[in-house]
Amino acid sequence: MADPSVAGQERPLRRLTLWLALGALALLVLPALALMVVVPLDVRHQLVFSAVVFGAALLLRNREGRLVPLVLMGLSLLVSTRYMWWRLTETVGLGSVVDITLGLGLVSAEIYAFVVLVLGYFQVSRPLNRRPVPLPEDQTQWPVVDVYIPTYNEPLSVVRTTVLAATVMDWPKDKLNIWLLDDGRRDEFRQFCEQAGVGYLARSDNKGAKAGNINAALRQTGGEYVAIFDCDHMPTRSFLQMSMGWFLHDEKLAVVQTPHYFFSPDPFERNLGTFGTVPNEGELFYGLLQDGNDQWDATFFCGSCAVIKRAPLEEVGGVATETVTEDAHTALRLHRAGYTSAYIPIPQAAGLATESMSAHVGQRIRWARGMAQILRVDNPMLGKGLKLAQRLCYTNAMLHFFYGLPRIIFLTAPLAFLFFGAHVIHASALMIAAYALPHLAHALLTNQRIQGRHRHLLWNEVYETALAWYILRPTTMAVLNPKLGKFNVTAKGGLVPRSYFDAHIALPYLVLLLLNLIGMAVGIGRLVTADSAGVVQTVWLNIGWTVYNMIILGAVIATCNEQRQVRKSHRVPLDVRATLHLPDGQALGCRTVNFSQGGIAVKLDEPHSLSEGLEVEVELTHRRRSGRLPAVLRHDRGEQVLGIEFSDLDLEQERWLVASTFARADMWVSIWGRHGDEGFFGSLASVLKASGRGFGRLGRWMTGGERRAAARDARGESG
């Protein structure tokens, strides 16, 4: 491994070299590119131009090399910039009031999407892919670390596993202080901390919410570094050894962030049945965007699974309390103060995803409101202390959460013509297709290459559409009055006792779906009465757009059909050797299949007849140590697979269970980011399947089928 101190010195040089090379290239090619953007072409020549450029992109897309994504981005930006130039100079009409109003609304949404596209390409143009660096062999040189686990209203069953995982981290015990920060001020939590051998801190009020809780702890503790975990995020044993090395090689480093991995399905994954097959909403951020930010020294603190150096944090006044996204705001202040950050793209902790779509929406509303607040009160494009690249990365992160209105505009834009005959784009259907389709196709092709396994095509449309209506108001209000809104805690560890259709969450999208259905019917009627080929082409263009919108809305509606979730603890796949000890002294060799806080599934090496209810012991071995856990055989799943439920474990047995499962150093690395790349047609097929499921569930709900099924669930009957 290269000397990190040398790597740190070479990093600015590499950046300077990159900027010089880009500058020289720009001087050579910008005039030619500008000409290619602004030259007007008729339909035939525009199609030829688009075909040539797209053909070049197709030839390049599967080639290896770091230059290939950059070239694809350049071709995409060329075509998209040409499209935007054409839109702004040739298609914005000044006809009727309806044309002007709706047309300006659509072009504004397109400008927003174009800006986000450009900033997004810049952000991920050269992901750093930082690797950990080793700590000194002499552990006396390792610093003292305080581990903070903030909690407010979460149940102890969720919090205790995180606390126990923190206690088995590989760090000198005299240099590791673990603190549970209980803003709920609960006696059972205090008693548990005493039993587990960790510190307990509570304060008399909840001022500043999570940020205030952490700031209060800073005043009562003294570690040189602070590791912060949400109370459902269990660190692995190797977390500190993986994340602390860079601090000892860069005195200006203030934050090291690692990914947030969730071992339970989020509402999208559970309700759509895509857990483990389609990358979830957050995987793009932690799999690619933060890695891209790291190249530009713009990685920001995400509230958990991170280490912060105390001195810089105290220098900027502690964790920011002015906004409800205290984490990103704190990182922005640290960067303004001249400190650096780092991102290590190796999951070293795992937690629980939100349990329901309504909870998920509430969480994203807070994120959106907070980012809008930061944009309003501490705009990264203004003020001192940031490099241009940092300003652009932060701005892109904040602008992302303003997609609510543009999404809704795109979902309703074709209705302007179908309902009112309004020409929101003053051009023929063929001309629109000749300019718009290459713009969209290049963006899809390029994103498929650079995002790969972190985000499958078209799913971004589903994720953002599902949240668009709900983030529109908080982002708008936060810009107008950033003091509005308060921090809300995301519920974790809850159950969904029965399947049901959440009509309240789905309502905005049911309305949009109805409007699109009516628009399609009106469009079909217009085809019958159309008096020219141009009108027919325009109608077909808008009907096609409407059908696409309905497909996305169908998938969104499917996410609102909450699936029953009655497991108190989620099962996690794990394949390691184990031993099953029987009451008569026999020891049966086996391998684990999966585990949870409450039980484990094992596959016997050899067939053996065992009765349900048999009391056994499961021996787990990890790092040349082993421990036995009392359990009861609950059921035989066939093929020598047994389901086993742990008996009442004492605290040390529970700690061993955590150490040999959740806290394994390799636990989450072997699972995270293992999705294969999926092409456009594969993604389209999966979104169509989800959409079909949404329409099916909507039909059942409208005809009473969902309500009858809920009644059966309530009575405990089968379907």
Side-chain angles (χ1 to χ4, degrees), residues 15-223:
R15 286 183 184 164
L16 178 61
T17 303
L18 174 63
W19 281 112
L20 290 174
L22 290 175
L25 183 63
L27 290 175
L28 291 173
V29 303
L30 275 181
L33 291 177
L35 188 63
M36 296 172 73
V37 165
V38 303
V39 168
L41 297 174
D42 58 25
V43 172
R44 184 169 64 88
H45 290 97
Q46 171 63 23
L47 288 173
V48 171
F49 171 80
S50 300
V52 170
V53 178
F54 193 67
L58 286 174
L59 290 174
L60 286 170
R61 63 173 176 165
N62 292 324
R63 293 185 178 274
E64 298 298 326
R66 297 192 67 177
L67 188 61
V68 173
L70 296 176
V71 174
L72 289 175
M73 291 180 200
L75 294 176
S76 176
L77 290 175
L78 170 64
V79 173
S80 293
T81 305
R82 178 170 174 78
Y83 170 73
M84 290 307 304
W85 175 265
W86 173 76
R87 280 285 284 122
L88 293 171
T89 60
E90 297 187 34
T91 68
V92 180
L94 299 176
S96 67
V97 174
V98 174
D99 285 4
I100 295 173
T101 303
L102 299 181
L104 289 178
L106 177 59
V107 79
S108 298
E110 291 182 278
I111 291 172
Y112 166 85
F114 176 72
V115 171
V116 170
L117 179 72
V118 174
L119 292 177
Y121 283 167
F122 170 79
Q123 192 174 18
V124 300
S125 57
R126 291 179 60 86
L128 187 58
N129 195 28
R130 184 192 298 264
R131 300 290 94 184
V133 297
L135 290 157
E137 292 185 10
D138 182 4
Q139 292 189 2
T140 61
Q141 299 181 38
W142 296 12
V144 176
V145 179
D146 289 328
V147 176
Y148 290 171
I149 304 172
T151 179
Y152 172 54
N153 61 358
E154 300 84 357
L156 183 57
S157 59
V158 169
V159 177
R160 65 186 296 129
T161 310
T162 299
V163 172
L164 293 176
T167 65
V168 300
M169 284 197 292
D170 293 326
W171 201 256
K173 297 307 178 185
D174 61 334
K175 294 177 178 290
L176 182 65
N177 304 306
I178 301 166
W179 302 95
L180 184 67
L181 316 182
D182 182 19
D183 257 6
R185 297 174 285 280
R186 293 157 289 185
D187 288 337
E188 61 173 333
F189 281 65
R190 183 190 300 274
Q191 294 167 7
F192 166 69
C193 289
E194 292 174 355
Q195 296 169 358
V198 303
Y200 176 88
L201 294 175
R203 52 188 182 139
S204 59
D205 58 40
N206 300 109
K207 186 177 180 181
K210 178 182 176 181
N213 195 5
I214 294 172
N215 289 337
L218 285 171
R219 293 190 289 270
Q220 300 180 66
T221 59

Side-chain angles (χ1 to χ4, degrees), residues 301-343:
F301 172 43
C302 298
S304 180
C305 309
V307 183
I308 305 180
K309 194 173 184 179
R310 176 187 291 269
L313 183 59
E314 291 180 339
E315 181 183 327
V316 299
V319 179
T321 58
E322 293 83 357
T323 61
V324 294
T325 46
E326 75 294 333
D327 40 20
H329 198 181
T330 300
L332 176 61
R333 288 182 170 180
L334 288 167
H335 280 127
R336 285 196 188 279
Y339 292 100
T340 63
S341 62
Y343 179 68

Side-chain angles (χ1 to χ4, degrees), residues 460-533:
N460 187 58
E461 303 280 310
V462 178
Y463 297 147
E464 292 190 359
T465 299
L467 300 169
W469 176 263
Y470 293 101
I471 69 170
L472 171 59
R473 181 175 178 272
T475 50
T476 303
M477 296 306 296
V479 170
L480 297 176
N481 186 351
K483 295 183 179 181
L484 292 176
K486 62 179 181 179
F487 187 95
N488 62 294
V489 177
T490 304
K492 299 288 184 69
L495 302 178
V496 181
R498 63 176 179 83
S499 298
Y500 66 96
F501 183 71
D502 194 337
H504 177 72
I505 287 292
L507 181 59
Y509 307 108
L510 293 175
V511 172
L512 287 169
L513 178 62
L514 179 61
L515 290 174
N516 276 272
L517 279 169
I518 296 172
M520 190 166 69
V522 172
I524 293 172
R526 282 182 174 271
L527 286 175
V528 176
T529 60
D531 56 2
S532 69

Side-chain angles (χ1 to χ4, degrees), residues 453-705:
R453 57 190 171 88
H454 303 298
R455 170 65 54 83
H456 289 172
L457 296 177
L458 303 183
W459 282 102
N460 187 58
E461 303 280 310
V462 178
Y463 297 147
E464 292 190 359
T465 299
L467 300 169
W469 176 263
Y470 293 101
I471 69 170
L472 171 59
R473 181 175 178 272
T475 50
T476 303
M477 296 306 296
V479 170
L480 297 176
N481 186 351
K483 295 183 179 181
L484 292 176
K486 62 179 181 179
F487 187 95
N488 62 294
V489 177
T490 304
K492 299 288 184 69
L495 302 178
V496 181
R498 63 176 179 83
S499 298
Y500 66 96
F501 183 71
D502 194 337
H504 177 72
I505 287 292
L507 181 59
Y509 307 108
L510 293 175
V511 172
L512 287 169
L513 178 62
L514 179 61
L515 290 174
N516 276 272
L517 279 169
I518 296 172
M520 190 166 69
V522 172
I524 293 172
R526 282 182 174 271
L527 286 175
V528 176
T529 60
D531 56 2
S532 69
V535 173
V536 170
Q537 293 168 359
T538 303
V539 172
W540 276 118
L541 177 67
N542 285 281
I543 287 178
W545 191 347
T546 301
V547 169
Y548 175 79
N549 286 342
M550 290 171 60
I551 291 171
I552 299 300
L553 288 168
V556 169
I557 289 168
T559 69
C560 300
N561 197 84
E562 297 289 355
Q563 296 300 291
R564 190 169 179 237
Q565 202 291 104
V566 294
R567 283 191 180 275
K568 293 182 179 180
S569 53
H570 296 271
R571 292 199 175 273
V572 181
L574 178 65
D575 181 15
V576 297
R577 292 296 304 172
T579 305
L580 191 63
H581 294 273
L582 305 185
D584 61 4
Q586 292 187 74
L588 306 181
C590 57
R591 296 195 71 87
T592 61
V593 177
N594 57 48
F595 74 94
S596 70
Q597 293 165 283
I600 195 166
V602 299
K603 184 173 184 178
L604 299 176
D605 295 341
E606 302 290 340
H608 202 96
S609 178
L610 299 173
S611 59
E612 293 185 10
L614 183 69
E615 294 185 354
V616 298
E617 287 185 324
V618 179
E619 182 179 356
L620 297 175
T621 302
H622 181 51
R623 300 178 66 172
R624 301 180 182 179
R625 291 182 53 207
S626 63
R628 295 188 182 187
L629 305 174
V632 177
L633 177 61
R634 286 307 181 195
H635 55 274
D636 187 336
R637 301 181 181 179
E639 298 184 353
Q640 301 161 221
V641 177
L642 306 176
I644 298 171
E645 180 182 357
F646 295 126
S647 302
D648 291 334
L649 305 180
D650 63 34
L651 189 64
E652 291 311 310
Q653 290 170 333
E654 189 177 356
R655 199 192 307 265
W656 174 248
L657 172 63
V658 171
S660 56
T661 54
F662 289 108
R664 292 173 59 96
D666 61 346
M667 185 67 242
W668 312 116
V669 176
S670 62
I671 302 174
W672 185 67
R674 297 303 179 186
H675 304 97
D677 197 358
E678 187 175 51
F680 173 78
F681 292 105
S683 295
L684 178 60
S686 59
V687 171
L688 281 171
K689 180 180 178 181
S691 186
R693 179 181 297 182
F695 283 115
R697 290 173 179 172
L698 177 59
R700 288 187 63 202
W701 177 75
M702 293 179 66
T703 58

